[in-house]
Amino acid sequence: MESPNNYESVSDSPEATRLYLAAQANDEAVVKAILASPAARRDQLNVIETTKGWTPLFVACAKGFAPTVRLLIGAEADQGLVDFAGWTAKEHAVFRGHLKVGKLLATPELREHGGPATRLQPRARRPVDYRRQSRSSQIFVYLGPSHTRSHLEPVELDVHSLGSVTDVSDKTSFSVTIKAQNTSDNSSYTIQLPILENMVNKPVSFSTDDPEKVTLIFELHRSTCTSDTSVEVIGTGIALLQSLRQGLAPNRESLIRHYTVPMLHNGLMTRIGAVTFSVLVITPFQFEGPLPKISPGFWKGGESYPVVGHRGSGANSTVRTNLQVGENTFQSFLTAINRGACGVEFDVQLTKDYYPVIYHDFLVKETGGDVPVHGLTLDQFEHCSRSQAPRSDLSSSGEQRYLERNYPDEKRRPKPRSYSDNKYDDYRSQDLMQRIKYTEEGLLGNFRGNLRGCSIQEPSTILEQLLTELPESIAFDLEIKYPMLWEAEDRNMEFFAIELNFYVDTILAMVFRHCGDRNITLSSFSPEVCIALACKQQSFPILLISKAGSVPVSDVRAGSLQGAIEFATAWDLAGIVLLSDPFVMCPRLLTYTKDSGLVVSSYGHLNNDPECALVNSSPRFQETMLMRVHNMQIQVKAHLDAIITDKAHLISQTLAKANR
């Protein structure tokens, strides 16, 4: 399949029909009116415009206009057409993260001319980037906010103020030059206005030994298209990096990474506009000790197809009918390996006193309140787990004093009594569930995660324990959990967290110290964490995790398969971990992603279904399934590199049978 990026700007074709233009604008009233006419429907419904080969259904799917798509489907628009790049309308919708629109469409019979028109060339691996070699800090700046829920423009010019201080005509153009003082070089970057593309994956960068002393300078240039072209600096905006980070406690930072500074006229010092920019500072990771050997990634090194246990033996859920071991616990990881997984995936966060612990949710609901992990010390965090233990395992104060007096050596003390429940244990479990009921997660009905009464509750786990006590043969997919701004908004969390560099460095130090010869992969939903990992180390491959559009997000890098591919290739990551839905809905998108030169793994509830797992993982099964619905002569060669699942035993057995 050809890349759709060449056709990303949806411009009106000279031969576009009225129905096409109405679908492009999501004008339901006009679409209904046109479709109400049998003649207009016949003449316009499946007409292909000449630029991209799109019909009205294509443009509505590409833009994610579900109401318009429903109208066109109801009018029996042809869902089996392919455009000039070989893509179907459904593939365009799913690729761009419009999964709800994709689910409205049938999977068409792919006609012989609708196969991959050309294969993408394998991505040439760039030599190691200077960012990974430099021992200096890196400052990445781009115009505009990465947070798409913000309505701020990258550059806002006050036309009235500009007109009073300088000549402005239809022959006048503007640009912004970004400079930085107290950096290692004198680089400057000029960006023409208006900005026609999102710069989030194309930041300008500066190197420095002391980010606190750096000053960012934004110069507004005016040029006139005359025979004697001249460029004039008419305004300047200045930002001190040190001042942007004030107002929070040490090792804390705001999740809001965009800032706005006024643009002042150079002569009159009057405000002529404003510039909004986003900044990310990455400091070098300093580790005193031998560097770990380079890990191949959890998708390599095994004899069988890589099946990875999600949070160990599976994420806890009230909808699962099987017996569940508490997720993200030591026993859960051992269970996953014993049930056929080659590796385990787990979530790492930092406590208030900076210990890496294993926990999925940002808010610890066991507290009975909405307390973030970074708001609890390690002792407080572990107590949330210990307090759920059966009463028979908790010695009374009298018993405790007796044991301490008569058995000073803990190893010689009598074994604790059995873990059997009593009425008091049942009451405590019910009391905990009632308190959780009124937390942010509880109000959403998310009763999950190593809770007594919902699963076989186990003691909480810390990262050091996993690294030192689990056999080195077990591969790790170590997900670094770090909140993004849209997640904090949706969960009613505070808009601050532990400072990103300190957060990542603390986890990396623990991994470097205890990794041994273990095969470790680092992953994260946070693009900023992935950038930090890419700049700080080369020992472990990095994967961006994406929900692929299944939930609304405010970061273009995290909202679709397209965004994930563009981000991973821009920052030279090893690959992506994607929600499995897009690949099950449109298997050819898996081929496209693999042809982009990326490692591809998937997760999600569909990976617990053996048939969906086979669609995702087995090229032979993909080919069989496709041949059932069309006679296209095509070999589906690419397949998923690894599958992350809650049912390691079922999926590993299914894949083993398929391979036989």
Side-chain angles (χ1 to χ4, degrees):
M1 297 164 67
E2 290 182 345
S3 170
N5 297 335
N6 297 331
Y7 308 103
E8 192 55 35
S9 58
V10 184
S11 57
D12 296 340
S13 170
E15 299 181 13
T17 63
R18 289 180 61 234
L19 181 58
Y20 183 95
L21 297 177
Q24 185 181 48
N26 199 30
D27 192 329
E28 295 179 59
V30 175
V31 171
K32 286 180 181 179
I34 295 174
L35 294 178
S37 168
R41 179 189 303 185
R42 181 185 64 249
D43 295 338
Q44 300 185 42
L45 183 60
N46 294 312
V47 172
I48 298 174
E49 57 83 41
T50 58
T51 303
K52 302 175 290 295
W54 283 11
T55 66
L57 181 62
F58 271 87
V59 69
C61 286
K63 286 182 167 288
F65 295 152
T68 298
V69 170
R70 289 191 184 94
L71 292 174
L72 295 171
I73 293 175
E76 299 182 354
D78 190 344
Q79 301 180 41
L81 295 175
V82 294
D83 63 11
F84 295 157
W87 290 63
T88 66
K90 182 173 183 176
E91 287 169 335
H92 277 292
V94 173
F95 181 69
R96 290 165 172 79
H98 309 309
L99 300 190
K100 291 182 179 179
V101 171
K103 291 177 181 178
L104 298 175
L105 298 158
T107 300
E109 293 188 4
L110 301 177
R111 301 168 184 176
E112 186 170 350
H113 65 274
T118 58
R119 293 289 185 188
L120 292 174
Q121 294 298 317
R123 177 168 58 121
R125 304 299 295 186
R126 299 198 304 265
V128 176
D129 194 277
Y130 74 92
R131 291 188 299 267
R132 300 187 185 186
Q133 296 177 329
S134 174
R135 305 308 296 175
S136 300
S137 296
Q138 303 298 318
I139 301 172
F140 300 104
V141 183
Y142 54 89
L143 296 183
S146 62
H147 190 60
T148 56
R149 295 176 185 175
S150 170
H151 300 294
L152 293 171
E153 294 294 331
V155 179
E156 295 183 0
L157 299 180
D158 189 329
V159 178
H160 177 73
S161 299
L162 278 174
S164 64
V165 297
T166 187
D167 294 331
V168 178
S169 67
D170 57 356
K171 296 183 179 181
T172 303
S173 62
F174 296 94
S175 61
V176 171
T177 296
I178 306 176
K179 301 179 179 179
Q181 292 181 346
N182 298 320
T183 58
S184 303
D185 52 33
N186 296 317
S187 300
S188 62
Y189 304 87
T190 299
I191 300 168
Q192 295 297 320
L193 301 180
I195 299 174
L196 301 178
E197 62 177 340
N198 194 307
M199 292 182 58
V200 69
N201 286 323
K202 299 178 181 179
V204 302
S205 61
F206 304 95
S207 297
T208 180
D209 294 328
D210 189 352
E212 297 296 317
K213 296 182 179 179
V214 171
T215 299
L216 296 178
I217 302 173
F218 303 89
E219 293 180 347
L220 179 63
H221 293 249
R222 182 183 68 87
S223 61
T224 305
C225 298
T226 61
S227 56
D228 183 20
T229 302
S230 60
V231 178
E232 175 189 8
V233 181
I234 61 173
T236 304
I238 297 177
L240 305 176
L241 283 192
Q242 184 178 15
S243 66
L244 300 180
R245 306 170 67 87
Q246 293 178 351
L248 293 172
N251 293 328
R252 296 294 188 272
E253 72 173 351
S254 172
L255 298 178
I256 302 174
R257 302 185 185 279
H258 59 271
Y259 308 90
T260 301
V261 295
M263 192 82 71
L264 303 182
H265 186 270
N266 279 2
L268 302 177
M269 297 303 292
T270 56
R271 185 183 184 278
I272 57 176
V275 57
T276 297
F277 65 97
S278 298
V279 62
L280 178 64
V281 178
I282 303 298
T283 58
F285 170 57
Q286 306 287 352
F287 179 73
E288 297 182 1
L291 296 179
K293 71 175 186 179
I294 296 177
S295 287
F298 61 77
W299 55 92
K300 292 183 179 179
E303 297 180 357
S304 59
Y305 185 83
V307 175
V308 178
H310 184 218
R311 305 184 204 170
S313 61
N316 296 152
S317 170
T318 54
V319 300
R320 288 179 62 183
T321 57
N322 58 302
L323 192 62
Q324 304 174 63
V325 178
E327 66 177 43
N328 275 330
T329 62
F330 195 85
Q331 184 59 50
S332 181
F333 301 133
L334 290 178
T335 301
I337 299 304
N338 292 334
R339 300 289 284 173
C342 69
V344 290
E345 180 273 345
F346 53 87
D347 313 280
V348 181
Q349 301 188 61
L350 288 189
T351 60
K352 185 177 181 179
D353 46 356
Y354 312 130
Y355 284 92
V357 297
I358 314 303
Y359 195 78
H360 176 267
D361 296 345
F362 290 118
L363 302 175
V364 184
K365 53 188 171 295
E366 292 92 329
T367 62
D370 297 321
V371 183
V373 174
H374 65 75
L376 297 173
T377 65
L378 177 61
D379 287 339
Q380 292 168 338
F381 174 79
E382 291 183 329
H383 178 73
C384 292
S385 175
R386 289 197 303 266
S387 63
Q388 298 183 60
R391 181 64 185 174
S392 55
D393 187 45
L394 297 174
S395 301
S396 67
S397 57
E399 289 174 319
Q400 187 65 32
R401 287 194 299 270
Y402 172 82
L403 292 173
E404 291 175 354
R405 183 170 57 251
N406 294 280
Y407 299 93
D409 186 357
E410 292 186 7
K411 296 181 179 179
R412 298 175 62 86
R413 291 179 185 176
K415 294 182 179 180
R417 289 174 289 176
S418 72
Y419 282 81
S420 57
D421 284 343
N422 54 40
K423 292 183 178 180
Y424 180 71
D425 293 324
D426 185 57
Y427 167 78
R428 289 192 306 128
S429 178
Q430 293 179 11
D431 179 64
L432 175 62
M433 297 302 293
Q434 284 299 314
R435 285 187 285 120
I436 291 176
K437 184 178 180 180
Y438 299 101
T439 64
E440 189 72 28
E441 293 293 329
L443 292 173
L444 298 175
N446 295 333
F447 290 89
R448 61 183 183 186
N450 196 29
L451 293 177
R452 190 168 187 82
C454 296
S455 62
I456 303 175
Q457 194 267 338
E458 290 286 331
S460 56
T461 311
I462 62 175
L463 178 59
E464 184 176 6
Q465 180 186 11
L466 298 188
L467 289 167
T468 57
E469 296 184 19
L470 280 180
E472 283 192 358
S473 58
I474 301 175
F476 282 178
D477 176 11
L478 191 157
E479 177 189 338
I480 298 180
K481 298 281 290 190
Y482 194 83
M484 291 178 276
L485 180 56
W486 66 268
E487 291 177 309
E489 288 179 341
D490 292 348
R491 290 170 172 80
N492 294 319
M493 295 164 53
E494 298 289 344
F495 292 174
F496 72 90
I498 297 176
E499 195 273 329
L500 178 69
N501 288 285
F502 183 82
Y503 193 96
V504 172
D505 288 354
T506 303
I507 295 173
L508 281 179
M510 181 67 70
V511 174
F512 274 46
R513 193 176 301 119
H514 299 294
C515 63
D517 293 328
R518 192 184 303 276
N519 186 354
I520 296 178
T521 301
L522 304 175
S523 61
S524 183
F525 280 97
S526 167
E528 283 76 21
V529 168
C530 289
I531 293 172
L533 291 170
C535 294
K536 291 174 181 290
Q537 60 85 43
Q538 303 174 55
S539 298
F540 307 111
I542 307 159
L543 304 179
L544 173 73
I545 316 173
S546 175
K547 296 183 179 179
S550 60
V551 296
V553 303
S554 66
D555 191 321
V556 296
R557 302 167 294 183
S560 65
L561 172 58
Q562 179 184 25
I565 292 175
E566 291 177 353
F567 174 78
T569 54
W571 289 94
D572 203 24
L573 305 185
I576 63 175
V577 181
L578 199 79
L579 185 73
S580 57
D581 296 49
F583 298 145
V584 175
M585 295 167 67
C586 301
R588 297 198 308 169
L589 291 180
L590 176 56
T591 302
Y592 176 84
T593 309
K594 293 283 293 181
D595 284 348
S596 299
L598 298 171
V599 170
V600 186
S601 180
S602 74
Y603 73 99
H605 71 279
L606 292 180
N607 282 2
N608 301 329
D609 182 334
E611 183 173 327
C612 293
L614 284 170
V615 170
N616 265 321
S617 60
S618 170
R620 183 172 58 193
F621 189 86
Q622 278 191 34
E623 184 177 347
T624 302
M625 293 295 291
L626 290 173
M627 290 299 289
R628 289 179 183 176
V629 296
H630 64 85
N631 295 322
M632 185 173 65
Q633 301 299 314
I634 180 175
Q635 298 293 316
V636 183
K637 298 179 180 179
H639 64 283
L640 206 65
D641 291 289
I643 187 167
I644 301 173
T645 177
D646 295 319
K647 298 185 178 181
H649 182 62
L650 175 62
I651 299 304
S652 59
Q653 281 192 329
T654 302
L655 294 176
K657 291 178 181 178
N659 291 333
R660 288 198 295 268

